[in-house]
Amino acid sequence: MDSPKHPFRIANFRSYWLSRLSGTIAQTALAIVIGWQVYSLARQTMDIRQAAFLLGMIGAAQFVPLFLLTPVTGLVADAVDRRWIVRTTTALLVLVAAMLGTLTYLDMLTLPALFAAAVMVGVARAFSGPAYSALAPNLVPRESLPTAIAVSSTAWQLGAIAGPSVGGILYAIHPHVAYATITALFGIALATILTMRPVPQPAVQKDRRPLARILDGFRYVRQNRLVLAAITLDLFVVLLAGATALLPIYARDVLQSVHTAWASWPPVWESVPSPLRSGFRSGR
């Protein structure tokens, strides 16, 4: 038997992979930059406790749309061309990043604008996630599917790892530089997904109503212990990983305070008696 065709030899899959990698880097970097800006703006007029509360709420603003829309987004991904779902959501993210970058550059950014942007990011993620995941199996032959799934997962993992670093480094340079780069990355994701040719998609089940299909999905998860265990584990991981959203508090007000306090102390080397310092230098 011939060896399976590698997914990268398929033009549609190459476009999909580049789009997912670029879009994931941009999404995770955008989340970091928004969190930093919310906390920085809040600390200008609030104490640490109040600013920390707003930082937690910006995470909720992104999570609540994702949580509420999840039962619907799967149906949409089955009924609508998945390429256009990804294109529409990516175009929305381009506009969000460009808007935040413009407001930052003009020094007109406010907390309500950041919260509105976070909600739009949550809505875009809710629809793009299932569409991206469901696209990969439609792009390759059946014998290449395991490799395609692994390579697609690699793109997401690389983006999730690189994105926060990219966002943090660029934000340290200047926030509007970070937003400009994120907008460009979303633009690359949009441009590459626009090059994808029509993709075959499974026929929609027309013999059952949408609500019945959603309930069928919940029943399947409840009855399949393996799937239920995997989803439950993933939910706990996401819940505990949310603590990373609080890192701006430690970077700005905890670690910075420790650094300032340490810098105000006499250097340890200068507190060592002169004879001992001379002995250390001479090796005695």
Side-chain angles (χ1 to χ4, degrees), residues 6-22:
H6 196 279
F8 279 153
R9 296 177 62 186
I10 302 171
N12 267 358
F13 189 86
R14 290 197 300 270
S15 299
Y16 162 84
W17 192 87
L18 288 172
S19 177
R20 188 166 198 189
L21 176 63
S22 178

Side-chain angles (χ1 to χ4, degrees), residues 5 14 39 51 68 81 103 116 129 159 215-216 233 240 251 264:
K5 187 177 183 180
R14 290 197 300 270
Y39 191 71
L68 295 178
D81 189 334
L103 293 175
L215 294 176
D216 285 344
L233 178 61
L240 296 175
S264 64

Side-chain angles (χ1 to χ4, degrees), residues 54-220:
L54 283 182
L55 183 59
M57 288 300 98
I58 202 70
Q62 297 180 63
F63 173 75
V64 170
L66 182 64
F67 177 76
L68 295 178
L69 293 173
T70 294
V72 179
T73 54
L75 292 178
V76 175
D78 289 339
V80 181
D81 189 334
R82 292 158 186 167
R83 295 175 306 151
W84 282 105
I85 297 175
V86 175
R87 290 168 180 173
T88 303
T89 55
T90 306
L92 174 61
L93 292 171
V94 170
L95 293 176
V96 169
M99 177 194 72
L100 292 176
T102 302
L103 293 175
T104 300
Y105 183 76
L106 298 175
D107 199 20
M108 297 172 58
L109 191 65
T110 61
L111 288 173
L114 285 167
F115 273 89
V119 171
M120 288 188 283
V121 170
V123 171
R125 288 179 58 195
F127 283 94
S128 65
Y132 261 125
S133 299
L135 258 177
N138 303 138
L139 301 176
V140 298
R142 183 184 295 272
E143 60 272 14
S144 302
L145 185 56
T147 304
I149 293 175
V151 171
S152 174
S153 178
T154 300
W156 185 87
Q157 293 289 351
L158 286 174
I161 293 171
S165 302
V166 171
I169 292 171
L170 294 176
Y171 184 84
I173 298 172
H174 200 283
H176 72 255
V177 174
Y179 282 123
T181 306
I182 291 169
T183 303
L185 287 170
F186 278 132
I188 293 172
L190 179 60
T192 49
I193 207 69
L194 283 172
T195 63
M196 287 183 61
R197 297 178 180 178
V199 178
Q201 190 162 321
V204 180
Q205 294 181 356
K206 298 182 178 180
D207 57 338
R208 296 182 64 80
R209 295 180 178 180
L211 181 59
R213 291 161 57 193
I214 293 175
L215 294 176
D216 285 344
F218 282 115
R219 292 192 192 98
Y220 173 80

Side-chain angles (χ1 to χ4, degrees), residues 240-258:
L240 296 175
T244 58
L246 302 178
L247 288 178
I249 303 172
Y250 289 89
R252 178 189 171 105
D253 289 318
V254 178
L255 298 179
Q256 185 65 31
S257 299
V258 172

